[in-house]
Amino acid sequence: MKRILKYGRNVILLFLSVCVFQISAVAVFGASAKPETPILSGTASGNQVTLTWNKVKKASGYHIFLYYKADGKYKCVGRIKNNNTTSFTLTGSVNKTYTYKIRSYLKQGSKTLYSPSSKAFEIKTAPGKPVISQVRMSEENGALLQWKKISSAQGYQIFRSETASKGYKRIAVVSGNTTFSYRDTKVVSGKTYYYRVRAYLRNQGNVVYSELSDSAEVLLRTTIMIGDSRMDMMKDAVENDKITWICKVGMGYQWLRDTALKTLQEQMKGNEDIFIWLGVNDVYNISNYISLLNEEIPKWKAQGANVYIVAVGQVTDDPYVTNEEIEDFNSRMKNGVTNVKYIDLYSYLKKQGYKTTDGTHYDNETTWKIYRYLMSFIS
C-alpha cells in the first residue's frame, strides 16, 4: 500500500512539473514573439517631416504616433503595413515643433502583438518665411535692411543681387534671434540693388532653411550739398568724398542761378538727396530765391530727387546781417517754397547751442553738429 501511495505521489509531481514547464515555455514563446522597438529619427524640410527607422525583422508593420499638446496624448497618424518600409513623410506647418513615437507590430493569426513605443523624437520644421519691413539707402551709410522676427529662427542669411529675379548671392549671416537688421556698406552709387532674407535653425544635426523672403528693391542715393562758405567749411571738416559738394565762399542767389544749378544738372542721375543752404550773404534776395526754387525743384523731383531747404543759421557779430533779418528770411523761405522738405536748422542751433569763430562761421564742433543733423534726415 505504501509503495502504491509513493508511486502515485511521484506521478502527480511529474505531472505538475510538466505543467510548469509548459506554462513557462508558453510565457517564453509569448515574450519572444513580440517584435522589437524601432529606433526613430528624421529630418525636416519646409513644412514636412520625414521620419526614418531601422527595419524590424519580426514585424508586420509599424505605427507612427504624433503628440497633440491640446489633448495631452499621442494619436496614430501613420499605419505602415510593410516591414520593408522604413520611412514616412508627414506634412504640417512651418515654424512648428512636432513630437513623434513609433512601435512595430506582428500579426499572429487573429492576434496582433505590439512592441513597446519608442522614445519620443522631437523635431522642428523650417522657420517661417521672413518679411522685409524696410530698406533705407544713403551714400553716407549704405543700405540698412530690416526684417520681422521669426520665433523659431536661430539666425538669418542676407542675399543681394542687381536683378530682381536671379543672381542672388549670400553676403552676410546674422547669428542668433535678437538682431533683425543688417547694414550693407559695399554698395555703389547709382546702382539698383535687390535684397532677400531667409531664416535658419539647426535641427537634429541638420540646418533647416526657410523660404527666401520676397525681394526688396533699393537705389543707392547720392547726397549733394549746395551752399556758401559755411558749407565749404563743412566739406573741409568732414572730408566725405562720397558727397558731391557744390559750394563756394561768399556766394548767394546769383551764383546759385548761374553756376550751381548748371553743375547740379550735370551731376544729377535721378537718385539724389539735395541740400540747399544759402542766404546768409544776401537775405535781401529772398523773393528771387523763392521764385527760382519753385521753378526748379519740381523738375528735380520729377527726376527722382529729394530736396531739402536748410534754414540759415544764426550769426553772433556779422556787420552785414542780423539774426532778425535771418529769421525773416527763414520764415519767408519756409512758407514760400512749396513741395519741399524744410529743415529748421535755426531752431535746432538755438536749442543745442553753437559757437562762431568770426561771428559768421561756425567752429569745428558746431560744424560737425550741423553735419550730423542734416545727415539724420536721410539715414
Side-chain angles (χ1 to χ4, degrees):
M1 186 67 177
K2 290 181 179 179
R3 288 181 180 178
I4 293 173
L5 292 173
K6 183 177 180 181
Y7 175 76
R9 188 166 54 246
N10 290 339
V11 171
I12 292 170
L13 290 172
L14 178 61
F15 174 77
L16 292 173
S17 298
V18 171
C19 290
V20 170
F21 172 77
Q22 288 178 338
I23 293 171
S24 299
V26 171
V28 170
F29 175 77
S32 63
K34 281 188 176 182
E36 296 179 355
T37 302
I39 299 173
L40 191 61
S41 61
T43 57
S45 178
N47 64 342
Q48 293 187 325
V49 173
T50 298
L51 299 172
T52 56
W53 57 90
N54 59 301
K55 178 181 176 181
V56 176
K57 293 181 179 179
K58 294 181 179 180
S60 302
Y62 310 92
H63 290 163
I64 307 295
F65 297 87
L66 171 63
Y67 181 72
Y68 286 82
K69 188 175 181 180
D71 300 327
K73 61 178 66 175
Y74 285 87
K75 296 181 181 180
C76 186
V77 293
R79 299 178 185 272
I80 294 90
K81 297 181 179 181
N82 187 339
N83 79 319
N84 291 318
T85 300
T86 56
S87 67
F88 189 70
T89 298
L90 300 106
T91 300
S93 302
V94 296
N95 209 28
K96 293 286 187 180
T97 300
Y98 293 103
T99 305
Y100 299 95
K101 287 185 178 182
I102 189 173
R103 72 181 180 188
S104 61
Y105 68 90
L106 173 63
K107 282 189 171 294
Q108 287 187 332
S110 61
K111 294 182 179 180
T112 302
L113 302 175
Y114 299 100
S115 75
S117 294
S118 67
K119 293 182 179 179
F121 175 74
E122 185 177 278
I123 191 167
K124 298 175 181 178
T125 55
K129 179 180 176 180
V131 174
I132 297 175
S133 53
Q134 69 172 338
V135 185
R136 293 182 291 175
M137 184 89 82
S138 72
E139 185 81 22
E140 175 72 7
N141 298 299
L144 177 63
L145 183 69
Q146 295 177 306
W147 58 89
K148 295 182 179 180
K149 178 181 180 179
I150 304 295
S151 61
S152 67
Q154 295 175 344
Y156 302 88
Q157 296 179 329
I158 317 302
F159 297 82
R160 185 186 68 201
S161 175
E162 293 180 22
T163 58
S165 59
K166 61 182 181 179
Y168 286 89
K169 294 183 179 179
R170 194 180 76 183
I171 60 170
V173 176
V174 178
S175 300
N177 206 16
T178 57
T179 300
F180 314 109
S181 64
Y182 173 74
R183 188 177 295 279
D184 182 13
T185 57
K186 296 180 180 179
V187 287
V188 178
S189 175
K191 284 189 175 182
T192 300
Y193 294 94
Y194 301 86
Y195 292 90
R196 303 180 81 176
V197 178
R198 75 176 178 185
Y200 69 86
L201 60 83
R202 293 178 177 85
N203 195 13
Q204 301 294 337
N206 300 307
V207 179
V208 183
Y209 298 100
S210 74
E211 288 185 70
L212 285 164
S213 70
D214 295 334
S215 62
E217 177 185 356
V218 290
L219 176 67
L220 179 58
R221 304 186 69 82
T222 299
T223 301
I224 298 179
M225 297 284 194
I226 301 174
D228 48 38
S229 55
R230 287 174 165 181
M231 187 72 83
D232 193 61
M233 290 182 68
M234 182 184 291
K235 172 187 174 183
D236 293 339
V238 302
E239 297 182 337
N240 187 342
D241 57 6
K242 291 184 178 181
I243 293 176
T244 298
W245 302 91
I246 305 175
C247 47
K248 192 171 182 180
V249 175
M251 295 297 103
Y253 165 75
Q254 187 173 341
W255 170 81
L256 173 67
R257 182 195 63 194
D258 298 339
T259 303
L261 294 190
K262 292 180 181 179
T263 304
L264 172 64
Q265 202 58 53
E266 293 170 358
Q267 297 287 340
M268 284 190 67
K269 297 178 181 179
N271 62 326
E272 290 80 17
D273 291 309
I274 303 170
F275 292 82
I276 300 175
W277 191 24
L278 286 164
V280 71
N281 295 314
D282 57 349
V283 292
Y284 52 84
N285 262 323
I286 182 60
S287 296
N288 290 327
Y289 274 115
I290 292 173
S291 177
L292 178 65
L293 292 173
N294 277 333
E295 181 181 347
E296 297 296 327
I297 287 175
K299 300 177 186 176
W300 305 338
K301 296 191 71 174
Q303 290 180 253
N306 293 325
V307 185
Y308 302 84
I309 300 296
V310 182
V312 177
Q314 294 91 327
V315 296
T316 54
D317 187 19
D318 188 314
Y320 303 103
V321 67
T322 66
N323 283 334
E324 288 75 16
E325 291 173 320
I326 290 174
E327 289 176 5
D328 180 66
F329 177 92
N330 288 338
S331 177
R332 292 179 64 185
M333 182 74 85
K334 179 180 179 180
N335 295 321
V337 180
T338 59
N339 199 25
V340 72
K341 298 177 182 179
Y342 182 81
I343 300 177
D344 191 358
L345 178 64
Y346 191 96
S347 296
Y348 174 79
L349 291 178
K350 186 175 182 179
K351 181 178 180 180
Q352 297 295 324
Y354 61 93
K355 292 181 181 179
T356 63
T357 56
D358 58 3
T360 303
H361 301 98
Y362 299 115
D363 66 358
N364 193 66
E365 181 181 351
T366 303
T367 298
W368 268 101
K369 186 186 299 183
I370 295 170
Y371 171 73
R372 287 190 288 267
Y373 180 56
L374 298 186
M375 296 308 295
S376 71
F377 286 84
I378 58 174
S379 63

